[in-house]
């Protein structure tokens, strides 16, 4: 068992999924070779088959999927041919899995340490006392606070980032040969992501475990993987060592992934503020979530509001829309004061402020067609009906770069990016002056994100729109904003022009937030941790 | 791979789009995949509906037509004999389908209008209105419904209208609970918030945003609730406070002919007579349950 033995060798693997009465290919003949102690990064957009391939490396297929051909040689045994019972002897023993949503993957009724050691004890790898002692060692290695005691807690008693690290400890506990990480940091804030990545990389290196790391975030995979494999539509696009791949990608598709973050916004002329919120305090029942918030948004510009979850970004949006009337403070819109409560605002005031949501899936009624979704505000605000309404809906579809073929589709028949475009069209239908974009791109793939951001910028120029852009993604902020508001714990930490906020000196919190954004440099994480330890 | 293929275009994004099918071809696929129990249920329900609608043409005699010979045996002029005052049992069975099923259907629909409407309003309002309605429903549900119905019917008198109103209101409590509990999950969705931000009224939000998304559990509940209402009416009729003579009704037919069962040792057919309306009730209940089971299975997305 030397370091360079081939551990996993997947050959010409084909997997199909069943939907709409037919079998569709998901993975179309992919090879993958992984040696002991190596980390392979799998990247691609959604639908690329990266998760399906990652799970297949364990010999597992999701319900409704089947392996049609190919072999999965794990340490000399073809997992594709083993019975379910035989495969179970590998899972949780020699192969383990770290899922995207730790909160949904833990059993809420058991203590963390019991779940961490369950499979180790079941397979008889270690007796219970030893396994628990080892779990504490792992918790310590993963930088969890109070490693001796944290195992006695229940899943809801620790934070998301801590839970993700406990899950890594769980995967590490039986000392597997292979760990499959399926987007383990996607749901976390950047500042938490750094801690989790550091911890995961440390234990994987320490125990010389091979790993497959699935993600759509290039910068993250650059920190973790020795090799990167790019997938698209179930095919391999290219594979190369991380440094080579980052410095010189060969295929056009890979290059396009790399260039996504090159978006730039032209500076705009300074105009008078269209929206000003002054001294806003707001609370949910007794809990105060906004504390003396002042934000001013110039007409025709994009103001980005950044911060971690719980910083009060989305609450600010709810205050502006009138869903959450503030306790004190006022909202000035285009020279006049807006009533605090939604019910007290006129139809015209409601029309001029529109909102686009993070999850396009839940922002559209699944039982309404695109025609009804976009047509309703036209009918409601502008009194259009019949042919005039139909004509305007098609115009709006053209504006968002879709066409009239989409008019009869239901939301379930659209891709993520198309759904978000329909939501944009619905907001535009009201002919607003001011649009609140609440994390509109954070649920989307990078290429699709770029498309949406370009669209929003083009529309801003054409229609002189003003955006309040709420996001936790700093690279999006750099790409599209004119002004930046940094929020933390319900307060505005810093506000100003983009270049001023992003150039030092920063307040302490801005510094932490900015330095936590992964960069496309394989040494970024190592360097960052050196700097942070030194200070 | 050429440059054109890699260039991004919003219209070409991969979607799991479905083949466009007409409602008819969708129904055909659905029916082809339906289990035998559901098909049996659908056939039985179809026969009941047919009989109920065309009762006057199918039945050989009138509903309340009295003949000279009471307790006539099976066969001869009267296929299933006559009852205690000489009415043709076969004809009364056919008219019974119309009366019992018809009244049960009207009652169930009314229960859904009341319970569904209030349930939706409570789910959207979530404050004093919700508290008021929910606690009121708790009180109504705490009293055994059959006994409560008996009491109310003896106070207000057992006319068909009273019967329908009382059972509808008592049953609407369960519909209220179900509607409210499924609707609160939909009310928190962003599209409902979007409709509120747009300034839509309560009626629009109820009808267009929420109702279409909670319909499957409500339709299933409709089938089940119909069975319960149907059984309650039969039970009340059996006890003598339900549908009043001479209107033919299966529940009261069981009661009126119940004494015949003791003659089973002399004439088996005569002994079976009171069981006929009882089995008509049982068969419809089973059939509706088969269909509801299949529908629930289908819409809840549980495969296998």
């Amino acid at each position: 068992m030397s370091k360079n033995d081939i551990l996993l060798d997947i050959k010409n693997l084909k997997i199909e999924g069943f939907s709409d009465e037919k079998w569709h290919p998901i993975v179309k003949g992919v090879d993958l070779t992984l040696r002991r102690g190596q980390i392979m990064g799998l990247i691609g957009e959604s639908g690329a088959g990266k998760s399906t391939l990652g799970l297949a490396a364990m010999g597992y297929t999701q319900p409704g999927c089947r392996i049609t051909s190919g072999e999965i040689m794990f340490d000399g045994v073809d997992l594709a041919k083993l019975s379910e019972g035989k495969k179970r002897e590998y899972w949780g023993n020699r192969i383990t899995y770290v899922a995207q949503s730790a909160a949904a993957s833990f059993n809420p009724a058991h203590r963390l340490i019991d779940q961490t050691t369950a499979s180790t004890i079941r397979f008889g790898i270690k007796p219970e006392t030893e396994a628990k002692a080892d779990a504490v060692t792992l918790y310590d290695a993963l930088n969890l606070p109070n490693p001796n005691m944290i195992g006695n807690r229940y899943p809801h008693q620790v934070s998301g980032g801590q839970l993700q690290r406990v899950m890594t400890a769980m995967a590490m506990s039986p000392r597997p040969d292979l760990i499959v990480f399926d987007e383990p940091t996607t749901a976390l804030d950047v500042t938490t992501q750094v801690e989790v990545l550091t911890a995961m990389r440390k234990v994987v290196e320490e125990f010389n475990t091979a790993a497959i790391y699935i993600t759509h975030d290039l910068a993250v995979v650059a920190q973790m993987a020795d090799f990167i494999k790019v997938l698209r539509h179930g095919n391999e696009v290219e594979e190369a060592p991380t440094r080579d791949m980052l410095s010189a990608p060969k295929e056009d598709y890979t290059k396009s992934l790399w260039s996504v973050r090159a978006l730039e916004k032209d500076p705009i002329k300074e105009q008078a503020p269209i929206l000003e919120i002054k001294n806003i305090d707001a609370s949910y029942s007794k809990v105060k979530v906004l504390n003396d918030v002042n934000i001013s948004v110039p007409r025709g510009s994009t103001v980005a509001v950044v911060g971690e979850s719980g910083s009060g970004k989305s609450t600010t949006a709810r205050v502006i829309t009138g869903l959450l009337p503030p306790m004190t403070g006022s909202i000035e819109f285009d020279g006049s004061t807006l009533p605090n409560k939604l019910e007290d605002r006129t139809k015209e005031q409601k029309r001029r402020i529109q909102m686009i949501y993070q999850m396009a899936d839940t922002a559209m009624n699944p039982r309404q067609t695109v025609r009804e979704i976009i047509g309703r505000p036209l009918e409601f605000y502008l009194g259009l009906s019949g042919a005039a309404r139909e004509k305007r809906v098609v115009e709006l579809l053209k504006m968002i770069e879709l066409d009239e073929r989409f008019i009869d589709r239901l939301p379930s028949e659209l891709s993520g990016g198309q759904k978000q475009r329909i939501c944009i069209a619905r907001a535009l239908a009201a002919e607003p002056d001011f649009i609140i974009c609440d994390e509109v791109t954070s649920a989307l793939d990078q290429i699709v994100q770029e498309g949406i951001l370009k669209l929003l910028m083009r529309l801003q120029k054409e229609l002189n729109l003003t955006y309040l852009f709420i996001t936790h993604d700093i690279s999006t902020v750099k790409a599209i904003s004119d002004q930046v508001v940094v929020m933390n714990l319900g307060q505005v930490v810093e506000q100003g022009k983009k270049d001023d906020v992003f150039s030092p000196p920063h307040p302490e919190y801005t510094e932490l937030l900015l330095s936590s954004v992964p960069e496309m440099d394989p040494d970024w994480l190592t360097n960052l941790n050196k700097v942070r330890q030194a200070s | 791979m050429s440059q054109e293929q890699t260039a991004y275009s919003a219209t070409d994004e991969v979607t799991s789009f479905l083949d466009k099918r007409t409602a008819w071809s969708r129904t055909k696929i659905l029916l082809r995949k339906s289990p035998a129990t559901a098909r049996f249920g659908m056939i039985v329900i179809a026969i009941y509906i047919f009989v109920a609608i065309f009762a006057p043409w199918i039945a050989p005699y009138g509903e309340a037509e009295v003949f000279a010979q009471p307790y006539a045996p099976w066969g001869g002029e009267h296929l299933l004999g006559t009852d205690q005052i000489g009415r043709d049992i076969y004809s009364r069975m056919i008219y019974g389908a119309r009366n019992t099923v018809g009244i049960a259907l009207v009652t169930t629909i009314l229960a859904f209008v009341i319970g569904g409407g209030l349930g939706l309003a409570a789910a959207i309002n979530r404050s004093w209105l919700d508290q008021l309605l929910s606690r009121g429903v708790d009180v109504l549900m705490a009293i055994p419904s059959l006994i409560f119905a008996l009491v109310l019917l003896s106070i207000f008198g057992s006319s068909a209208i009273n019967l329908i109103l009382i059972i509808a209101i008592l049953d609407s409590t369960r519909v209220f609970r179900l509607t409210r509990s499924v609707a609160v999950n939909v009310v928190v969705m962003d599209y409902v918030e979007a409709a509120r931000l747009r300034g839509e009224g309560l009626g629009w939000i109820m009808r267009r945003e929420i109702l279409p998304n909670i319909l499957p559990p409500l339709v299933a509940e409709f089938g089940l609730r119909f069975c319960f209402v149907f059984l309650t009416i039969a039970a009340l009729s059996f006890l003598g406070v339900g549908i009043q003579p001479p209107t033919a009704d299966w529940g009261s037919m069981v009661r009126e002919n119940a004494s015949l069962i003791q003659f089973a040792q002399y004439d088996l057919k005569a002994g079976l007579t009171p069981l006929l309306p009882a089995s008509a009730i049982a068969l419809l209940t089973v059939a509706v349950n088969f269909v509801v089971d299949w529908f629930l299975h289908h819409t809840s997305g549980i495969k296998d």
Side-chain angles (χ1 to χ4, degrees):
Chain A
M1 271 213 233
S2 75
K3 165 129 184 156
N4 281 323
D5 280 352
I6 290 180
L7 178 68
L8 179 75
D9 196 11
I10 295 178
K11 283 209 179 77
N12 195 27
L13 184 69
K14 290 182 181 162
I15 300 174
E16 291 184 339
F18 192 76
S19 68
D20 198 28
E21 316 288 309
K22 280 194 287 285
W23 287 97
H24 301 279
I26 297 176
V27 175
K28 303 165 186 166
V30 173
D31 299 334
L32 189 155
T33 308
L34 188 65
R35 293 170 193 275
R36 281 182 189 280
Q38 278 184 345
I39 302 176
M40 167 78 76
L42 291 181
I43 61 168
E45 335 164 24
S46 32
K50 53 187 194 304
S51 281
T52 312
L53 181 62
L55 288 170
M58 311 168 64
Y60 180 79
T61 50
Q62 279 166 326
C65 294
R66 63 177 184 193
I67 297 174
T68 47
S69 71
E71 53 180 37
I72 306 162
M73 299 300 289
F74 176 79
D75 208 11
V77 183
D78 188 356
L79 292 178
K81 294 203 173 58
L82 286 186
S83 69
E84 200 76 352
K86 286 271 184 224
K87 280 191 278 191
R88 259 178 226 287
E89 289 175 17
Y90 285 87
W91 298 339
N93 181 2
R94 301 192 58 196
I95 309 176
T96 55
Y97 177 69
V98 176
Q100 173 171 4
S101 169
S105 307
F106 274 93
N107 186 332
H110 294 282
R111 291 179 194 279
L112 293 173
I113 195 148
D114 295 327
Q115 301 192 54
T116 309
T117 54
S119 70
T120 311
I121 296 168
R122 189 171 80 83
F123 286 108
I125 299 166
K126 286 185 192 117
E128 189 174 337
T129 43
E130 243 179 83
K132 287 197 169 166
D134 178 59
V136 173
T137 323
L138 285 170
Y139 292 155
D140 193 29
L142 287 160
N143 291 331
L144 282 162
N146 203 353
N148 287 314
M149 299 305 295
I150 197 168
N152 292 328
R153 297 200 185 171
Y154 288 95
H156 66 272
Q157 294 173 314
V158 300
S159 74
Q162 289 169 354
L163 208 52
Q164 200 72 52
R165 278 179 277 170
V166 173
M167 185 134 80
T168 309
M170 186 201 286
M172 237 26 245
S173 171
R175 294 293 182 276
D177 297 309
L178 173 67
I179 301 186
V180 178
F181 291 98
D182 192 354
E183 309 238 10
T185 60
T186 310
L188 304 176
D189 286 320
V190 278
T191 46
T192 324
Q193 174 171 282
V194 170
E195 292 167 24
V196 175
L197 283 179
T198 311
M200 285 194 303
R201 199 169 72 170
K202 186 175 151 201
V203 288
V204 170
E205 271 168 11
E206 197 174 322
F207 300 109
N208 195 25
T209 315
I212 291 178
Y213 196 99
I214 303 163
T215 181
H216 64 263
D217 191 337
L218 285 161
V220 165
V221 86
Q223 311 311 314
M224 294 295 291
D226 302 314
F227 290 84
I228 294 179
K229 189 193 275 294
V230 182
L231 294 172
R232 191 186 195 203
H233 303 334
N235 289 312
E236 177 181 323
V237 177
E238 68 173 309
E239 185 193 321
T242 303
R243 277 166 205 281
D244 300 352
M245 179 76 98
L246 289 176
S247 52
K250 287 192 203 74
E251 298 292 330
D252 288 337
Y253 175 68
T254 320
K255 283 180 195 153
S256 77
L257 282 177
W258 263 234
S259 65
V260 164
R261 287 299 171 217
L263 269 180
E264 272 294 328
K265 188 171 195 268
D266 304 328
I268 52 141
K269 239 184 19 241
E270 189 82 359
Q271 294 185 44
I274 185 166
L275 179 105
E276 277 181 289
I277 61 174
K278 289 178 183 159
N279 309 95
I280 294 283
D281 282 4
S283 67
Y284 290 117
S285 57
K286 293 273 174 335
V287 190
K288 199 166 184 187
V289 280
L290 290 184
N291 195 352
D292 196 21
V293 170
N294 292 283
I295 295 175
S296 150
V297 184
R299 187 189 292 272
S301 70
T302 304
V303 172
V305 182
V306 290
E308 295 175 69
S309 19
S311 61
K313 313 184 294 273
S314 293
T315 311
T316 310
R318 290 175 68 83
V319 167
I320 296 170
T321 56
L323 282 170
L324 181 75
M327 293 184 302
T328 56
S330 66
I331 309 161
E332 306 269 329
F333 184 74
D334 204 13
S336 60
T337 307
L338 276 185
N340 284 343
K341 274 192 192 158
L342 180 66
E343 296 86 65
D344 301 337
R345 296 189 185 172
T346 64
K347 206 171 182 178
E348 182 67 8
Q349 285 169 330
K350 287 175 190 160
R351 179 186 70 75
R352 296 182 63 187
I353 299 179
Q354 291 291 313
M355 176 136 179
I356 307 172
Y357 293 84
Q358 174 176 14
M359 304 299 292
D361 289 306
T362 57
M364 289 188 288
N365 190 332
R367 304 272 166 163
Q368 290 177 354
T369 61
V370 168
R371 175 186 285 113
E372 293 167 84
I373 292 166
I374 304 180
R376 180 58 190 171
L378 293 175
E379 187 181 291
F380 186 77
Y381 290 124
L382 310 171
L384 293 181
S385 62
R389 190 180 90 145
E390 188 84 2
K391 184 165 156 269
R392 182 69 185 144
V393 171
V394 175
E395 270 174 31
L396 284 162
L397 281 173
K398 294 252 163 69
M399 271 163 89
I400 53 160
E401 294 154 22
L402 296 176
D403 52 45
E404 62 267 20
R405 282 178 301 163
F406 288 85
I407 202 164
D408 283 317
R409 291 218 194 160
L410 289 169
S412 57
E413 296 168 310
L414 301 168
S415 72
Q418 288 165 354
K419 278 180 204 162
Q420 199 57 280
R421 279 165 193 263
I422 299 296
C423 289
I424 294 172
R426 175 173 65 182
L428 290 179
E431 299 180 3
D433 301 304
F434 184 77
I435 301 183
I436 300 170
C437 304
D438 190 358
E439 305 265 10
V440 289
T441 56
S442 57
L444 302 171
D445 293 323
Q446 307 231 337
I447 292 192
V448 182
Q449 279 190 22
E450 188 194 18
I452 299 277
L453 294 178
K454 275 185 182 163
L455 172 72
L456 286 172
M457 277 155 68
R458 199 197 78 215
L459 292 169
Q460 179 166 51
K461 241 184 228 165
E462 286 173 11
L463 307 169
N464 194 26
L465 293 169
T466 312
Y467 297 135
L468 186 75
F469 204 96
I470 295 166
T471 184
H472 65 263
D473 182 11
I474 308 291
S475 40
T476 309
V477 176
K478 284 183 176 155
I480 64 146
S481 68
D482 300 303
Q483 287 200 19
V484 180
V485 177
V486 182
M487 287 188 77
N488 186 31
L489 302 171
Q491 283 179 312
V492 174
V493 177
E494 197 180 1
Q495 172 172 13
K497 290 212 177 86
K498 175 172 67 176
D499 295 335
D500 299 342
V501 173
F502 284 134
S503 51
H506 304 297
E508 195 181 342
Y509 180 74
T510 316
E511 176 66 38
L512 176 73
L513 197 66
L514 291 179
S515 67
S516 299
V517 181
E519 281 164 27
M520 292 269 253
D521 167 10
D523 299 321
W524 168 78
L525 187 60
T526 320
N527 295 338
L528 176 73
N529 283 324
K530 267 186 210 154
V531 172
R532 287 198 183 170
Q533 263 160 19
S535 64
Chain B
M1 212 179 262
S2 71
Q3 192 64 51
E4 284 78 37
Q5 276 172 306
T6 54
Y8 172 77
S9 154
T11 46
D12 296 339
E13 269 182 40
V14 189
T15 55
S16 60
F17 73 95
L18 304 164
D19 293 345
K20 281 284 166 220
R21 293 199 182 103
T22 60
W24 172 236
S25 74
R26 265 204 307 272
T27 317
K28 269 200 297 194
I29 292 173
L30 199 63
L31 286 180
R32 201 171 59 228
K33 289 201 299 185
S34 61
T37 48
R39 289 182 194 189
F40 168 78
M42 283 186 278
I43 292 170
V44 170
I45 293 170
I47 293 173
Y48 271 74
I49 293 172
F50 179 81
V51 169
I53 293 172
F54 297 103
W57 291 276
I58 300 170
Y61 305 104
E63 175 176 17
E65 207 173 324
V66 179
F67 294 90
Q69 191 193 8
Y71 294 126
W74 287 24
E77 234 176 284
H78 304 288
L79 189 59
L80 298 176
T82 55
D83 66 3
Q84 82 281 14
I85 56 168
R87 292 173 297 195
D88 183 58
I89 293 198
Y90 178 56
S91 305
R92 282 179 71 77
M93 285 283 290
I94 290 168
Y95 276 100
R98 172 177 267 201
N99 300 328
T100 320
V101 177
I103 289 184
L105 199 62
V106 172
T107 310
T108 320
I109 292 172
L110 192 62
F112 267 75
V113 171
I114 300 171
L118 293 180
L120 277 176
I124 296 171
N125 177 278
R126 292 311 302 276
S127 59
W128 60 272
L129 182 68
D130 186 18
Q131 284 299 327
L132 190 77
L133 288 170
S134 296
R135 298 298 81 78
V137 162
D138 286 348
V139 170
L140 278 184
M141 284 176 93
I143 305 167
S145 62
L146 190 63
I147 296 172
F148 200 24
L150 276 172
V151 171
L152 289 176
L153 280 169
S154 32
I155 296 172
F156 296 108
S158 13
S159 70
I161 302 284
N162 282 347
L163 190 69
I164 289 173
L165 281 177
I166 287 167
I167 299 178
I169 288 170
L170 290 181
D171 266 57
S172 69
T173 53
R174 290 160 210 265
V175 182
F176 171 86
R177 278 253 178 118
L178 177 83
T179 314
R180 185 185 166 279
S181 67
V182 289
V184 286
N185 293 324
V186 177
V187 168
V188 294
M189 290 298 207
D190 287 341
Y191 56 82
V192 179
E193 189 183 298
R196 281 174 59 204
L197 279 182
R198 193 158 64 226
E200 302 281 5
L202 185 69
W204 169 279
I205 293 177
M206 271 166 71
R207 274 184 301 112
R208 303 299 292 274
E209 305 288 345
I210 298 176
L211 196 57
N213 291 296
I214 59 168
L215 218 45
L218 286 189
V219 170
E221 175 70 8
F222 187 88
L224 284 179
R225 199 48 39 209
F226 170 76
C227 287
F228 283 115
V229 168
F230 183 65
L231 290 173
T232 310
I233 291 178
L236 288 172
S237 299
F238 179 80
L239 294 171
V241 293
I243 300 166
Q244 295 302 307
T247 310
D249 154 75
W250 292 335
S252 43
M253 282 172 74
V254 176
R255 180 180 54 129
E256 285 157 6
N257 297 302
S259 56
L260 276 175
I261 207 159
Q262 56 200 314
F263 298 108
Q265 48 186 325
Y266 309 112
D267 179 358
L268 187 64
K269 287 177 183 167
L272 283 177
T273 307
L275 296 181
L276 287 172
S279 23
I281 295 168
L283 183 65
L284 181 61
T285 313
V286 171
V288 171
N289 269 295
F290 274 152
V291 177
V292 167
D293 268 359
W294 166 62
F295 182 80
L296 261 185
H297 198 84
H298 177 72
T299 52
S300 64
I302 309 164
K303 309 289 176 204
D304 307 315

